[in-house]
Amino acid sequence: MTMRGWPLIKLLPQKTNFRFVRYAPIMGILSAVLCAASIVACFYPGLNMGIDFRGGASLEVAKPAGQVLDLGAVREAVGATGLGDVQVQGIDSESNAIVRFQIPEGENQTEVVQRVEAAISDAVGEVTYSGVSVVGSKVSGELFMSGMLALGSAVVLMFLYIWFRFEPQFGFGAIAGLIHDVVLTFGVIALFRLEFSLNMVAAILTVIGYSMNDTVVVFDRLRENLRKYKTMPLREVIDLSINETLSRTIITGITAIMVLAALALLGGEALFGFSIALMMGIIIGTYSSIYVGTPIILLWGVKRGGAVEEAEPIKLGMASRP
């Protein structure tokens, strides 16, 4: 079956005529409020740091084949050792689980792990342990700084790419959209208390790539239309360009969200937070390419026919139909 033969595609209109720029001021205020709230949420109550970033240990616990491992009993036994936040996650089958716990400062890591193993064995009987890994506080701090450096580098490189491919004003629009997407994705992670680990850094980097891809598609069409409609007002060219790429944006976004929804439902606890962050990031990235990155170009003006078209004020009710 070809894409044209897929019945759900027929539900999407072939041509839309939405006046996106008209509502850009309202959406800009909404974005600013949400970004401010996200920044506050990252400090209070703060991110739910995983073991990768706060230090701790993890080990795999397995019962003999055919026996069920009581996760509740494991969680209660490890929690009784007084090691702070304890996470017990089933894997593969009902016989296996991964246990994560913190290592208190000043205590010997090996002794803490042995104490946890003894507590689990007393609670659930015969088990085997494997895959023991310990992350110290110094290493976790270095990992956090490396993750933040990776995010910052990705944003800067994307800005340079847009700057050289298009024009400086396009670059400023793209960087505003990327910062918006990263901040709101952090807000989602803080709001839903998702564990912030290296997996989340990977999710945010993926959101940056998806958002940039969507933004480039809109910018490409905008550049083409600026050359094609040399006398059309800039706000109308922007509306036209977004409308012409809207069906592609919707189809791509829905397809990605469907895959991630399946991953969140069937991938287990290990992939749930990663999938949720990516789904929300895709929605945020799609929104920013329409209401953050592109309308900012109105504030800068663009070169058309060798001259620079002056920036236009964005006011409610002033946009005309393309």
Side-chain angles (χ1 to χ4, degrees):
M1 180 183 295
T2 63
M3 183 64 75
R4 292 181 180 275
W6 190 40
L8 294 180
I9 294 296
K10 298 179 180 179
L11 297 178
L12 296 176
Q14 295 296 319
K15 184 178 181 180
T16 57
N17 193 30
F18 298 116
R19 292 185 286 177
F20 293 102
V21 175
R22 179 177 185 178
Y23 301 101
I26 296 176
M27 296 303 179
I29 294 172
L30 175 62
S31 293
V33 171
L34 291 177
C35 285
S38 297
I39 293 173
V40 172
C42 288
F43 294 95
Y44 182 81
L47 296 172
N48 179 25
M49 295 291 189
I51 289 176
D52 293 335
F53 295 144
R54 68 184 176 191
S58 66
L59 56 86
E60 182 175 341
V61 183
K63 291 283 285 184
Q67 297 186 25
V68 177
L69 179 64
D70 188 343
L71 300 183
V74 173
R75 186 177 294 106
E76 183 178 349
V78 180
T81 60
L83 297 178
D85 185 27
V86 175
Q87 301 172 14
V88 180
Q89 172 188 326
I91 57 173
D92 297 335
S93 65
E94 295 181 341
S95 303
N96 301 71
I98 292 180
V99 180
R100 297 184 177 91
F101 50 92
Q102 292 179 265
I103 302 291
E105 287 190 30
E107 294 196 29
N108 184 277
Q109 298 174 350
T110 302
E111 292 179 356
V112 173
V113 172
Q114 291 175 349
R115 190 164 79 239
V116 169
E117 291 177 349
I120 295 175
S121 298
D122 291 341
V124 298
E126 181 186 358
V127 291
T128 57
Y129 303 97
S130 61
V132 180
S133 62
V134 179
V135 179
S137 57
K138 181 178 179 180
V139 175
S140 64
E142 293 175 352
L143 287 174
F144 181 78
M145 293 304 299
S146 297
M148 295 303 99
L149 180 61
L151 292 177
S153 300
V155 172
V156 172
L157 290 174
M158 291 296 182
F159 169 67
L160 294 176
Y161 167 73
I162 291 294
W163 187 314
F164 284 108
R165 177 166 178 175
F166 297 97
E167 298 176 22
Q169 58 267 36
F170 285 84
F172 287 117
I175 201 68
L178 287 181
I179 294 175
H180 170 274
D181 298 344
V182 171
V183 170
L184 287 193
T185 303
F186 268 103
V188 169
I189 294 172
L191 175 63
F192 291 101
R193 306 302 297 159
L194 302 176
E195 182 181 290
F196 187 70
S197 62
L198 289 175
N199 282 343
M200 283 302 180
V201 175
I204 295 174
L205 289 172
T206 305
V207 169
I208 290 174
Y210 181 92
S211 175
M212 180 55 62
N213 176 71
D214 204 30
T215 300
V216 166
V217 170
V218 177
F219 281 3
D220 266 330
R221 184 58 58 89
L222 176 59
R223 183 169 58 177
E224 293 173 5
N225 287 335
L226 286 172
R227 296 169 180 169
K228 185 177 180 181
Y229 304 102
K230 296 182 179 180
T231 60
M232 181 182 291
L234 181 56
R235 63 175 62 248
E236 295 185 14
V237 179
I238 291 176
D239 278 339
L240 176 63
S241 302
I242 297 175
N243 277 290
E244 289 179 345
T245 57
L246 188 60
S247 60
R248 177 262 179 205
T249 298
I250 293 175
I251 293 172
T252 303
I254 290 178
T255 302
I257 290 174
M258 289 171 60
V259 173
L260 291 170
L263 190 63
L265 293 174
L266 305 176
E269 186 177 347
L271 296 175
F272 179 79
F274 175 83
S275 304
I276 295 298
L278 264 182
M279 278 194 290
M280 296 304 296
I282 286 174
I283 295 173
I284 294 168
T286 301
Y287 163 83
S288 72
S289 65
I290 296 175
Y291 277 118
V292 179
T294 309
I296 284 181
I297 297 174
L298 277 175
L299 303 177
W300 292 84
V302 293
K303 292 182 179 179
R304 301 175 70 176
V308 177
E309 179 171 329
E310 295 297 327
E312 299 182 24
I314 305 177
K315 297 181 180 179
L316 289 175
M318 288 187 61
S320 57
R321 291 183 180 274

